[in-house]
Amino acid sequence: MASNKILFVTSEAYPLIKTGGLGDVAGSLPAALKAQRQDVRVIMPAYREAMRKAEKLGFASFQIEGIPETVRLLEGRLPGTSVRLLLVDSPAHFDRPGGPYADPDGHDWADNAERFAMFSRAATAVALNKAGLVWQPDIVHCNDWQSGLVPALLNQYPNRPATVFTIHNLAYHGQFDATKFQSLKLPEYLWGVDGLEFHGGLSFIKGGLVFADMISTVSPTYAYEIRTPHFGHGLDGLLNHRADRLVGILNGVDYKQWNPAKDPHLKHAYDAQSLEGKARNKQQLQKQSGLPQRTAAPLFGLVGRLVEQKGIDLVLSIIPQLVKADAQLVVLGSGDKGFQTELEEAAAEYPDHIAAHIGYNESLAHQIEAGADMFLMPSRFEPCGLNQIYSLRYGTAPIVRHTGGLADTVVDTTDENIKQKTATGFQFEHATHEELWWTCERAISIYRDQPKLWQQIISTGMKQDFSWKQSAKHYLELYQLALDKLGGKAARP
Ligand code: ADP
């Protein structure tokens, strides 16, 4: 594909700010697109934390059409890359402590509708070359509900760029009271079930789903699943209606950040040829987590948001069996207060077997990937999931539910796959604690009794390549489709 100008609109980007998979994607896909000779710029809100971490920020513009004067555009580089970064600096909306979507206590900011409407308006102005940058993108790539209004707002302009909307998690809609539609002064024609209305309220994500020229999500299996009522969160009808615009592209991972041979967060480097370092990292992790340093104990790791989606309740219910089997479990995460408390209580009750680290800790996430023998991801749904992919590279066999990106990246240890030497982990079908436990037992028994087979499983996993290069090429094809659709004037409504 020829070089295109791409505006990548995101509400988080590693290493400036990250709450989950979108942050990882926004931190690495733009650089992979740049490596494919695309002119890509990332636009993100100027959160206090991001401003602190961004390097060499310069003033870019304060003439953003349709936005009050107090908002400026700052320009810099996404740290660690040569990708140009635009930060929408509206102190009233973004200069505050806490996360991008929630306050330090974990409650959603009360003005999220205003914050991301303002951000979307700024991105729309940049997309239309009305922000004093003298740069007009060909493609605007939006991500999740926080930038969902952009395709909707752009749709009214005849000479607009093509729009792409990527769903990183359909569970989060950006759903607000209908009165916000008026107070945000959104164009009247956007109201209605063919627009931003969803069950009487205002839905930001519908802006992307209804109006984008092309829609993608982050794995082929999730692209299929979200068209069914079980996974559709009430939007499956709309997604079926737009099925000819919907594709699944598996996320890549950044092996510069996630490589056990060169990981600055690890005390002991290792690779598939020499796993001695992995054993040392296990000891280190046990020590750091206050667990007995027992080499033979199968050590399970879990890193992630502690929410129902991730099957944390299932993990809690197998703790007695894990303890009985003399296994160990190290959990790192934050989220639902109830899950946090239950995990801390389990750690207090079984100090030799369970360790709970509540909070967000990038270094420890790497150390768990390296030190654990198996990685638990019993998600009820999982658009792509990154930790199972990191686990593969770190020689830590993933134990996953057969859903979304987990189904697309982990090859189950069946007799057939053992014979073919393709097995890389363990899968189970139903979100029940019985099935999760049987699968853990399956893994434990191979780990204990068939070390050669275990070795084969993890070394096959370590060889898998989910780097961004391939995925970036698929995004280029997606951009071309969006340009074709726009050229054919097939945009909605
Ligand atoms: P999701 O986007 O649903 O949260 P993903 O698996 O796609 O899940 O991405 C999660 C990312 O966030 C991974 O890079 C993971 O390591 C990281 N992460 C999640 N929780 C924590 C935590 N408590 N500490 C450090 N990293 C975390």
Side-chain angles (χ1 to χ4, degrees), residues 80-151:
T81 74
S82 58
V83 173
R84 289 169 84 153
L85 169 76
L86 294 164
L87 291 179
V88 178
D89 183 25
S90 172
H93 292 105
F94 302 120
D95 183 15
R96 43 177 92 167
Y101 322 122
D103 67 20
D105 292 329
H107 303 295
D108 282 355
W109 295 111
D111 58 349
N112 269 345
E114 288 76 10
R115 297 169 78 231
F116 291 105
M118 202 287 301
F119 171 60
S120 293
R121 282 202 158 100
T124 301
V126 173
L128 294 167
N129 194 13
K130 291 181 178 174
L133 296 182
V134 199
W135 184 76
Q136 166 89 58
D138 307 299
I139 291 133
V140 180
H141 185 165
C142 303
N143 296 278
D144 277 350
W145 70 264
Q146 294 86 350
S147 50
L149 292 184
V150 178

Side-chain angles (χ1 to χ4, degrees), residues 18-22 24 169 258 303-305 309-310 332-334 359-362 365 377 382 384-387 390:
K18 163 178 145 181
T19 68
L22 169 59
D24 283 315
N169 192 334
W258 294 92
V303 179
R305 293 181 295 117
Q309 176 202 334
K310 302 283 179 185
L332 165 65
S334 62
Y360 191 93
N361 186 333
E362 191 72 34
M377 264 180 108
E382 193 59 77
C384 176
L386 293 168
N387 278 305
Y390 304 148

Side-chain angles (χ1 to χ4, degrees), residues 347-361:
E349 191 176 349
Y350 306 110
D352 288 352
H353 297 278
I354 314 291
H357 302 272
I358 303 302
Y360 191 93
N361 186 333

Side-chain angles (χ1 to χ4, degrees), residues 385-427:
L386 293 168
N387 278 305
Q388 84 282 11
I389 307 181
Y390 304 148
S391 300
L392 289 171
R393 185 50 64 103
Y394 279 66
T396 305
I399 296 179
V400 304
R401 247 202 87 224
H402 183 89
T403 187
L406 300 173
D408 293 335
T409 51
V410 176
V411 180
D412 192 20
T413 302
T414 59
D415 290 346
E416 184 57 27
N417 293 338
I418 292 173
K419 234 191 291 155
Q420 304 287 335
K421 295 196 171 32
T422 53
T424 59
F426 301 84
Q427 289 199 0

Side-chain angles (χ1 to χ4, degrees), residues 7-51:
L7 180 65
F8 192 90
V9 189
T10 182
S11 55
E12 52 184 277
Y14 180 84
L16 296 178
I17 194 153
K18 163 178 145 181
T19 68
L22 169 59
D24 283 315
V25 172
S28 40
L29 173 59
L33 291 169
K34 196 143 190 256
Q36 299 290 322
R37 297 184 309 282
Q38 306 299 305
D39 174 5
V40 52
R41 299 186 192 190
V42 172
I43 187 165
M44 194 181 84
Y47 308 108
R48 182 179 291 179
E49 187 181 331
M51 291 282 275

